[in-house]
Amino acid sequence: MTFAHRHLLGIEHLAQHEIETLLNLADEYVMLNRAEAKHSDRLAGLTQVNMFFENSTRTQASFEIAGKRLGADVMNMAMQASSITKGETLIDTAMTLNAMHPDLLVVRHPHSGAVDLLAQKVNCAVLNAGDGRHEHPTQALLDGLTIRRKKGRLHRLSIAICGDIAHSRVARSNIILLGKMENRIRLIGPPTLMPSGIQQFGVEVFDDMTRGLEDVDVVMMLRLQKERMDGGFIPSEREYYHRYGLNAEKLAFAKPDAIVMHPGPMNRGVEIDGTLADDINRSVIQEQVEMGVAVRMAAMDLLARNLLETRGAA
Ligand code: ASP
């Protein structure tokens, strides 16, 4: 198995074969997670600290379960209540933590690049759980695993990513991952929510859902990231739903067996129709959550192997 990285900071650093290595290992962890006794001791004796500077429900829970199933000692730092609010800098917090010898540090931060910066200051493996609009690598990996299991492959598929592309780290990580795996990517959304110059990533851009969804295998919806908007991006939520909200009528333009994805949390009735989101024949949203735990177990397992190897060699 080759996965020569000290940290998991973004998909941009991963080669195609490393993505495959990680997904293959995650497939094994899906089996463990479905077994009666969900326990392994791969991370036994190691300390995992989760630092979430931004709210999170599923990602934090997923990393916590993943670490516990692998036998790590897991600690969640309540960053809202921490010294950060008293004025401590990110680097000071990192240095303090570092002195406690964690082995795996899982970090979410509202600023793009903050997790990379932190990784340069600590001696442990750092996993990016989402930094600003930059990257959310484990989300793209769990999406990749979900697609691969549902479609039987993760290449030469036609995949539409729809909605608020401009503010989305999920979109960015997925564009990079799906591109590396040689898929055809279509981005659909209003021009105000489309980053300028995005075509240079080798994607096709549409501002009309019915044209963009034509014959795609996968429809990936994104949350309208209201917290990252400073006004004026959409006329109204009602209008947005009318033009860009996914419902059965618009989905009919995709392939008959196209799957529907959403990273959560969902704004029902804004970017997706609630009934469609719950339709187990089309929506794989629950599978995405399940794959999230397996992918995070695989990522932490691979990084821990590298960490222990480096320490052994030192
Ligand atoms: N949960 C994802 C993220 O942290 C998607 C979202 O918040 O819309 O980026």
Side-chain angles (χ1 to χ4, degrees), residues 108 136 169-170 223 225 263-265:
R108 168 170 289 190
H136 192 351
R169 55 194 173 209
V170 175
R223 183 172 65 90
Q225 310 244 312

Side-chain angles (χ1 to χ4, degrees), residues 61-126:
S62 181
F63 267 110
E64 186 175 350
I65 291 180
K68 286 185 171 157
R69 290 208 176 138
L70 294 178
D73 297 310
V74 186
M75 191 194 107
N76 290 310
M77 297 250 306
M79 297 319 295
Q80 254 78 348
S82 80
S83 318
I84 295 284
T85 49
K86 298 180 189 158
E88 187 176 77
T89 67
L90 175 67
I91 302 305
D92 284 337
T93 309
M95 297 310 288
T96 306
L97 256 182
N98 199 40
M100 296 182 204
H101 299 290
D103 303 289
L104 296 152
L105 202 53
V106 179
V107 188
R108 168 170 289 190
H109 200 280
H111 297 147
S112 308
V115 183
D116 288 47
L117 184 70
L118 199 139
Q120 292 165 25
K121 306 283 173 194
V122 294
N123 300 321
C124 60
V126 175

Side-chain angles (χ1 to χ4, degrees), residues 28 145 155 161 208-209 231 238 266:
E28 290 177 29
L145 184 62
H155 58 271
I161 306 178
D208 178 83
M209 281 288 266
R238 206 158 152 251
M266 259 185 286

Side-chain angles (χ1 to χ4, degrees), residues 170-285:
V170 175
R172 195 164 182 282
S173 288
N174 263 305
I175 292 168
I176 303 172
L177 186 145
L178 297 170
K180 285 190 183 198
M181 302 311 287
E182 293 163 21
N183 294 285
R184 197 166 156 201
I185 306 169
R186 298 174 164 204
L187 303 182
I188 314 173
T192 47
L193 295 176
M194 203 57 77
S196 59
I198 191 73
Q199 280 91 343
Q200 76 200 28
F201 280 80
V203 296
E204 289 174 87
V205 176
F206 296 83
D207 65 2
D208 178 83
M209 281 288 266
T210 54
R211 277 186 44 243
L213 290 179
E214 215 175 321
D215 285 333
V216 299
D217 300 285
V218 177
V219 184
M220 194 180 282
M221 299 308 297
L222 298 171
R223 183 172 65 90
L224 202 55
Q225 310 244 312
K226 295 178 221 163
E227 76 279 19
R228 296 197 212 289
M229 296 183 184
D230 36 25
F233 286 93
I234 56 161
S236 72
E237 284 184 3
R238 206 158 152 251
E239 170 80 12
Y240 182 80
Y241 182 66
H242 176 68
R243 293 204 58 193
Y244 297 101
L246 187 68
N247 57 14
E249 217 177 17
K250 294 192 189 97
L251 182 63
F253 287 86
K255 286 207 179 128
D257 62 351
I259 54 170
V260 173
M261 308 179 77
H262 193 300
M266 259 185 286
N267 294 309
R268 289 170 184 260
V270 178
E271 68 258 355
I272 190 164
D273 168 58
T275 313
L276 180 58
D278 298 332
D279 178 357
I280 53 165
N281 296 315
R282 304 309 297 270
S283 159
V284 297
I285 296 171

